[in-house]
Amino acid sequence: MQEKKTEMANKKPKKANLLDHHSIKHILDESVSEIVTSRGYEEDVRMSNIRLFFGTIIIVIALFAQFYNKKFPQNRDFLIGCILIIHLKEKNAILVTYPPKGSFTSTGLVVSSKLPRFSDEYTLTIASADPKSISAGKPVQFTKSVTHFTKDGVLVEGLFWKDVEALINDYAAEPKKSK
């Protein structure tokens, strides 16, 4: 515990532009990733690699659609097909993990977040990477106002850290058995 405090004191404070919700979400997501990985969850980068691969394919398809030898009215079906391929959308996942080492669970976590435009409500969700697994817990989430910043845009990490750790603890808690 003492190591965490000295580590947080030595880190450069995270600053966001309070008028830009993308900047705020990026800082919060980055902090969530740090908190989850500090709890012993190792990041699973396979999904990121797959997204990069699909991104490359999408760029090739877009270039092919741009320089296709037919003009617009004749290549309409081809363009619609390209657009449908491009709109493969990820779920708002910011982190996918392996299970912690030495854990009895066989699934990692999928951490996702939302911060809608023109809203101050940040929603953080933690779910199982394999929801059909017998060791998968029920997804947990919290929605809170983005009040973890000073007026200068510096993230107050201590408060945010407590909220995220409480959510991780809620997910990891044994489910209560009903009679």
Side-chain angles (χ1 to χ4, degrees), residues 17-52:
N17 178 358
L18 295 178
L19 300 176
D20 179 15
H21 79 282
H22 291 294
S23 173
I24 293 170
K25 184 177 184 307
H26 176 74
I27 295 293
L28 292 173
D29 291 349
E30 187 178 291
S31 296
V32 168
S33 294
E34 286 178 15
I35 294 166
V36 172
T37 53
S38 74
R39 293 282 304 253
Y41 291 93
E42 185 180 333
E43 185 175 2
D44 181 1
V45 294
R46 290 180 294 181
M47 194 61 166
S48 298
N49 292 340
I50 290 170
R51 287 183 193 143
L52 286 172

Side-chain angles (χ1 to χ4, degrees), residues 12-178:
K12 185 179 176 186
K14 296 178 183 174
K15 191 170 182 180
N17 178 358
L18 295 178
L19 300 176
D20 179 15
H21 79 282
H22 291 294
S23 173
I24 293 170
K25 184 177 184 307
H26 176 74
I27 295 293
L28 292 173
D29 291 349
E30 187 178 291
S31 296
V32 168
S33 294
E34 286 178 15
I35 294 166
V36 172
T37 53
S38 74
R39 293 282 304 253
Y41 291 93
E42 185 180 333
E43 185 175 2
D44 181 1
V45 294
R46 290 180 294 181
M47 194 61 166
S48 298
N49 292 340
I50 290 170
R51 287 183 193 143
L52 286 172
F53 177 71
F54 279 131
T56 304
I57 290 173
I58 288 169
I59 289 170
V60 169
I61 290 171
L63 285 172
F64 189 69
Q66 176 68 30
F67 298 111
Y68 194 62
N69 62 1
K70 293 186 179 179
K71 295 296 174 201
F72 174 65
Q74 292 102 12
N75 69 350
R76 192 179 99 215
D77 295 335
F78 178 75
L79 288 175
I80 289 172
C82 291
I83 290 169
L84 290 176
I85 290 172
I86 289 173
H87 285 292
L88 293 173
K89 185 159 172 58
E90 66 190 38
K91 299 175 183 177
N92 301 311
I94 58 172
L95 180 68
V96 179
T97 70
Y98 293 112
K101 290 181 177 21
S103 172
F104 294 111
T105 62
S106 62
T107 67
L109 302 177
V110 174
V111 182
S112 57
S113 69
K114 290 184 213 170
L115 181 62
R117 193 169 184 194
F118 305 120
S119 174
D120 68 337
E121 297 294 313
Y122 180 75
T123 302
L124 183 66
T125 305
I126 298 177
S128 173
D130 183 12
K132 294 182 181 178
S133 171
I134 195 165
S135 62
K138 291 189 177 182
V140 292
Q141 75 176 21
F142 75 69
T143 301
K144 293 198 175 194
S145 179
V146 184
T147 56
H148 296 74
F149 291 91
T150 64
K151 65 179 180 177
D152 298 326
V154 177
L155 177 65
V156 181
E157 288 191 72
L159 295 173
F160 188 62
W161 191 284
K162 288 178 185 177
D163 289 341
V164 174
E165 281 199 332
L167 189 66
I168 294 170
N169 291 338
D170 285 349
Y171 178 80
E174 286 291 319
K176 303 207 186 229
K177 297 186 180 188
S178 58

